[in-house]
Amino acid sequence: MLDILKGFSASLATVVAATLTPAVAWSADAYPSKPIHLVVGFPPGGSNDIVARLLAPKLGQILGTSVVVENRAGANAIIGTEYVARAAPDGYTITLGSASPLAISPHTYSNMPYDPVKDLTGITTVAATAELIAINPKLPARNLQELVALAKKQDVTLASSGNGGLPHLAIELFKTASKGRIVHVPYKGAGPAMTDAVGGHVDGIIMDVPALYTMVAEGKLRPIAVTDNHRAPVLPSVPTSVEDGMPSVLAFNWFAVMAPAKTPAPVVDKLYKALVQTVNDSEVKAGLAKLGIEPYTQASPQAFSAFLKTELTRWGEVARASGANAD
């Protein structure tokens, strides 16, 4: 009986496969035939949301369909990312993620509902921006050396948008590099953190350049350094941590588009080519540049997968060494 059932199952599987294969091939060739939902795991107004809304119109124009930005915020973008990981692998539900939910959260959250390597298909990074160390103007420090010297004499409080994300780990890197009395103060979101930094309730803040740019331009925060190996084009007078003679503090945020695992390769390839073309569009590049964000793509989806694994390893080491967690 078991042999008969096995034989029947095998025959049925063959018939189903033969029936479905042409349909899958046809779907890939016809893609896209309806709107694409680009899920953002953060609220409107943040860096991820800004990048998504800059890319969506041009991406839709290139693909010949509308690209709808959909905010599904919560738990440092885990909710939105999980939603995409569980979606149908047809290319119509994708996400614009970033370093925090894709490379850091797997090490700082104890119960992750998805594996970024196994449950998602990487397409490419699209943009990147450095983190910025900025302080309240009343703090007696004009540059990174003075800030470090101050932190060796007294506690210096630095705000982040929450436990377990990129700004938090950037603060941990800075604490290790400076050997100073840096105290991390987590907030529930970027808005409250910036408000308290401007108000002097904390000494300073580390966050993406775009998030802090307006506060810096208005003189409400004093920029100290970008945590990158080159200066941010939008803040050319602000040095890097390397220039200031500090041990390298590299903590740049990258933004990447991912689809559910098992998305057909032809769909992934079509999305990849369209995204590269979108990011290289002159109007899109100009829009990103105004916000301190730089185009940043990979040579192929496979190259992005290798990059993601490297980032997972790097941030895993930082999280373990610092004991940083989001729980």
Side-chain angles (χ1 to χ4, degrees):
M1 177 65 73
L2 288 177
D3 290 339
I4 293 173
L5 289 174
K6 288 179 181 178
F8 174 76
S9 298
S11 299
L12 180 60
T14 301
V15 171
V16 170
T19 303
L20 291 180
T21 300
V24 171
W26 179 86
S27 296
D29 291 340
Y31 175 85
S33 59
K34 61 181 181 179
I36 296 170
H37 285 256
L38 180 59
V39 176
V40 175
F42 295 96
S47 297
N48 285 60
D49 182 68
I50 290 169
V51 172
R53 292 181 188 281
L54 274 171
L55 298 181
K58 178 57 66 173
L59 179 62
Q61 180 183 334
I62 292 169
L63 288 171
T65 190
S66 58
V67 176
V68 181
V69 177
E70 181 179 343
N71 296 90
R72 287 181 174 266
N76 203 21
I78 288 177
I79 290 174
T81 308
E82 181 190 12
Y83 173 79
V84 173
R86 306 291 176 242
D90 54 12
Y92 290 103
T93 304
I94 57 180
T95 184
L96 188 131
S98 53
S100 285
L102 298 177
I104 295 176
S105 292
H107 306 294
T108 56
Y109 283 81
S110 57
N111 295 305
M112 280 290 289
Y114 61 86
D115 183 314
V117 174
K118 295 179 181 178
D119 297 328
L120 292 162
T121 296
I123 300 173
T124 183
T125 52
V126 291
T129 185
E131 298 298 286
L132 175 65
I133 304 171
I135 61 174
N136 185 281
K138 294 180 181 178
L139 200 70
R142 291 280 172 182
N143 53 49
L144 196 54
Q145 290 99 329
E146 292 181 5
L147 182 60
V148 170
L150 186 65
K152 290 183 177 180
K153 296 177 183 178
Q154 65 183 57
D155 288 349
V156 172
T157 54
L158 293 180
S160 80
S161 52
N163 279 320
L166 177 60
H168 177 189
L169 266 67
I171 290 172
E172 297 296 340
L173 280 176
F174 181 45
K175 184 189 301 184
T176 301
S178 67
K179 297 181 174 62
R181 291 159 56 182
I182 305 295
V183 179
H184 171 230
V185 183
Y187 284 79
K188 293 183 178 180
M194 288 188 287
T195 297
D196 273 12
V198 171
H201 301 292
V202 288
D203 296 321
I205 188 170
I206 293 185
M207 207 167 289
D208 289 359
V209 169
L212 299 180
Y213 177 72
T214 300
M215 299 295 183
V216 167
E218 294 176 354
K220 295 178 180 179
L221 289 173
R222 178 182 297 148
I224 295 295
V226 292
T227 58
D228 206 345
N229 55 14
H230 67 280
R231 296 191 179 198
V234 76
L235 294 171
S237 62
V238 178
T240 70
S241 57
V242 178
E243 287 179 61
D244 268 335
M246 289 291 298
S248 180
V249 182
L250 294 177
F252 71 95
N253 193 10
W254 44 264
F255 306 90
V257 176
M258 302 191 82
K262 298 182 180 179
T263 298
V267 172
V268 171
D269 289 341
K270 194 164 189 177
L271 282 169
Y272 170 77
K273 292 174 182 176
L275 283 164
V276 171
Q277 187 177 344
T278 297
V279 172
N280 285 310
D281 176 77
S282 58
E283 291 184 6
V284 172
K285 290 172 73 172
L288 292 172
K290 288 179 182 178
L291 300 167
I293 303 172
E294 301 176 66
Y296 180 54
T297 57
Q298 301 291 325
S300 66
Q302 294 74 25
F304 170 58
S305 295
F307 167 80
L308 177 59
K309 290 177 182 177
T310 299
E311 285 287 278
L312 278 161
T313 299
R314 182 168 85 93
W315 288 114
E317 292 172 354
V318 175
R320 286 189 293 273
S322 65
N325 67 79
D327 299 325

